[in-house]
């Protein structure tokens, strides 16, 4: 059987994507990410609104302090985020782009850094301005350690923080 150009690859191919540029582009187009935390040894995922810091060293999100994801972050700050471009069509196999971010989540106390990060978040998500000022809400900074970019189903590029 002859494979067409649109065949889905069965092997990983080393990519050449400029990962931080792709992260920046995805941040402009995508409002949400999937956050994965550790719930006592069990993966736990949550949809979040996020924003990339201008220096591309971190991701900012907010969450009510009574959520499972916040409790998980306090117990184990190692997290993963997935940002993707899927449209839920058959074309997604070859055209979807995804970026996995591995990092450490740090709750930010109110003060100078909090105000700076809040501004970054609110510029992207102005509808969440009221929520971020609630005493029930925590602002979380995820320090990016590693990014893994995948496109064409199996073409993988990686960036590691130095």
């Amino acid at each position: 059987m002859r494979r067409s150009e649109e065949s889905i690859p069965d092997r990983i191919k080393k990519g050449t994507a400029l990962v931080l540029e792709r992260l920046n582009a995805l941040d402009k187009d995508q409002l949400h990410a999937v956050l994965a935390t550790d719930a006592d040894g069990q993966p736990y995922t949550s949809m979040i609104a996020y924003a990339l810091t201008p220096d591309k060293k971190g991701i900012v999100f907010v969450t009510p302090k009574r959520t499972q994801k916040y409790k998980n972050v306090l117990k184990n700050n190692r997290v993963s985020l997935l940002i993707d471009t899927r449209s839920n069509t058959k074309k997604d196999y070859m055209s979807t782009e995804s970026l996995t971010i591995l990092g450490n989540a740090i709750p930010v106390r109110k003060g100078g850094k909090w105000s700076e990060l809040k501004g970054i978040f609110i510029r992207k998500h102005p509808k969440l301005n009221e929520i971020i000022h609630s005493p029930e809400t925590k602002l979380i900074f995820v320090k990016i350690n590693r990014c893994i970019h995948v496109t064409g189903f199996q073409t993988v590029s990686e960036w590691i923080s130095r």
Side-chain angles (χ1 to χ4, degrees):
M1 185 167 116
R2 193 170 161 216
R3 293 184 140 203
S4 72
E5 285 187 38
E6 286 299 305
S7 292
I8 297 171
D10 60 356
R11 291 182 179 87
I12 295 173
K13 177 180 163 189
K14 184 171 173 53
T16 58
L18 300 172
V19 176
L20 289 183
E21 286 183 18
R22 295 312 310 144
L23 174 59
N24 197 50
L26 286 169
D27 179 59
K28 286 180 173 51
D29 293 339
Q30 303 298 319
L31 296 174
H32 302 98
V34 177
L35 170 73
T37 59
D38 172 23
D40 298 321
Q42 180 69 44
Y44 184 89
T45 56
S46 309
M47 185 69 69
I48 60 164
Y50 79 95
L52 177 67
T53 59
D55 64 6
K56 299 177 192 72
K57 291 184 179 183
I59 297 283
V60 181
F61 71 93
V62 297
T63 183
K65 62 185 176 186
R66 291 194 174 110
T67 61
Q68 186 64 51
K69 66 181 162 277
Y70 183 67
K71 292 173 191 171
N72 292 346
V73 163
L74 292 179
K75 287 182 184 177
N76 181 349
N77 76 342
R78 294 174 61 200
V79 299
S80 176
L81 291 107
L82 176 71
I83 305 166
D84 69 82
T85 62
R86 69 190 131 153
S87 60
N88 208 24
T89 67
K90 290 180 183 177
K91 289 191 286 185
D92 280 350
Y93 289 111
M94 295 305 293
S95 64
T96 294
E97 180 177 13
S98 70
L99 196 97
T100 298
I101 298 165
L102 303 172
N104 298 94
I106 305 154
V108 181
R109 294 178 187 254
K110 289 200 175 177
K113 190 69 173 172
W114 184 91
S115 294
E116 176 190 342
L117 294 173
K118 175 200 69 135
I120 292 165
F121 184 82
I122 291 303
R123 276 190 290 284
K124 185 171 179 181
H125 301 281
K127 288 187 174 191
L128 299 178
N129 189 44
E130 194 172 312
I131 290 170
I132 202 168
H133 289 96
S134 166
E136 295 299 311
T137 300
K138 293 294 185 178
L139 183 135
I140 309 293
F141 173 78
V142 177
K143 179 188 174 298
I144 299 173
N145 297 325
R146 183 174 165 209
C147 294
I148 303 155
H149 177 267
V150 179
T151 192
F153 198 74
Q154 297 271 15
T155 303
V156 180
S157 304
E158 187 172 3
W159 175 86
I160 299 172
S161 175
R162 304 272 181 238

